[in-house]
Amino acid sequence: MELIKENSKSVLEQWVNQFSDELYSWAFFKTSSKEVAEDLVQDTFMAAFHKIDSFEGKSQPKTWLFSILNNKVIDYYRLSARTTKKNFSLTENSGFELSDGLFNSYGCWKNNDISTVWIQEEELLDNSDFNMVMEECMNELPQKWKLAITSKYLSEKKTEAICQELAITASNYWQIVHRSKLLLKKCLELKWV
């Protein structure tokens, strides 16, 4: 423990060499942005350098660094939530209205038939072409929506953890998930069908 404090610069250099790639991969997974991921990893190592005296060695250095990184990711999304317009357009990054084709002129749900492509293809996720289109559609979602969907369906996180990470309420989270699914469905029907 004392050895870490005395040689903090060389210890941190070892940690940078040892854990940078894993930290970057995690930050990129969480943000889908190369630049943001690089900045978050750099901020993580800067925070670790300034707080190395508080590292008690009760956990592995990698665990401690990932804890710092996760806090940086949460801070990033909290800040972006504050700076993003409160009433963003549902057409943002999508090129079409969310409600197009879902409601009639009286505001009632239309009885839309299910496209035959969804019935015919049972294992869409095994189709590489479909996966490319799905990724393209995912990238068109607003960043917070994409993170909510990937956290729920790919990382299989619990709702409470996702809400805390995105600094949103549970009802807002479910609204985001619902709208994201509608946008994904519409995007896939436009680009895949």
Side-chain angles (χ1 to χ4, degrees), residues 107-120:
C108 298
W109 284 98
K110 280 186 179 178
N111 184 9
N112 291 338
D113 293 327
I114 296 175
S115 174
T116 55
V117 73
W118 306 121
I119 297 167
Q120 292 172 353

Side-chain angles (χ1 to χ4, degrees), residues 113-161:
D113 293 327
I114 296 175
S115 174
T116 55
V117 73
W118 306 121
I119 297 167
Q120 292 172 353
E121 189 111 20
E122 292 179 6
E123 299 296 328
L124 283 174
L125 294 178
D126 293 334
N127 183 321
S128 60
D129 293 333
F130 173 80
N131 285 325
M132 285 174 38
V133 173
M134 178 65 156
E135 185 176 342
E136 187 180 323
C137 289
M138 289 287 291
N139 288 332
E140 289 183 12
L141 290 174
Q143 187 62 34
K144 187 180 270 192
W145 293 22
K146 180 180 176 184
L147 186 62
I149 289 290
T150 56
S151 295
K152 177 175 176 49
Y153 294 107
L154 298 180
S155 301
E156 298 180 351
K157 287 186 177 181
K158 300 223 180 268
T159 300
E160 299 80 27

Side-chain angles (χ1 to χ4, degrees), residues 17 26 57 59 68 76 84 87 94 106 127 140 168 178 192:
N17 291 331
W26 182 248
S59 65
I68 294 170
Y76 165 76
T84 304
N87 298 319
S94 65
Y106 302 107
N127 183 321
E140 289 183 12
I168 58 175
H178 177 70
W192 173 248

